[in-house]
Amino acid sequence: FIEGETGEEVRMQRCALDDESTTYLEEGMEVDLLYYNDHPIKFGIKSLITEEVVNTKPSVAVSSAHDKTYVTLSNGRTQVAPPYIKKGDRVLIDPKTHKILRRV
């Protein structure tokens, strides 16, 4: 990571990085760093993420109230989405919950 105000490089141990959140990281993205004893131990993404749906796979549901679709995003992540999400849609994702909030 690069500290925005000073331009200083900040390094974290690989084991401190959450694989779920690292799939959303992009160059130039602002993140919050949590420090312990002057060492970064965790990061958090500050804003919502926009990704493109590159593939969809419908799942069988018991009722229409519980329909869901599995989607593959442009960052390679596969996750559950509402059934109205289609290939080519751009979606807004909350990086804290990893849920698709809506199409954009």
Side-chain angles (χ1 to χ4, degrees):
F1 297 100
I2 301 294
E3 212 293 319
E5 292 180 17
T6 65
E8 180 181 333
E9 184 176 294
V10 178
R11 293 181 172 260
M12 290 182 70
Q13 292 183 1
R14 179 74 180 140
C15 63
L17 298 174
D18 172 9
D19 285 336
E20 294 253 334
S21 297
T22 57
T23 59
Y24 299 119
L25 283 178
E26 294 180 8
E27 190 172 328
M29 178 181 280
E30 287 190 28
V31 298
D32 288 322
L33 293 175
L34 176 64
Y35 286 84
Y36 179 75
N37 288 336
D38 294 327
H39 297 287
I41 59 169
K42 188 174 182 180
F43 79 94
I45 298 173
K46 288 185 169 188
S47 60
L48 299 176
I49 307 296
T50 302
E51 293 286 345
E52 183 177 347
V53 176
V54 296
N55 198 11
T56 61
K57 180 181 176 186
S59 82
V60 178
V62 176
S63 72
S64 61
H66 296 95
D67 283 353
K68 59 186 173 185
T69 299
Y70 290 93
V71 299
T72 302
L73 303 172
S74 53
N75 64 4
R77 182 180 175 83
T78 299
Q79 66 187 75
V80 175
Y84 58 83
I85 301 294
K86 306 291 182 220
K87 182 178 178 179
D89 285 348
R90 294 192 58 75
V91 293
L92 195 63
I93 301 165
D94 182 339
K96 292 182 176 128
T97 63
H98 307 289
K99 290 186 179 180
I100 293 176
L101 303 175
R102 65 178 184 273
R103 287 185 286 200
V104 292

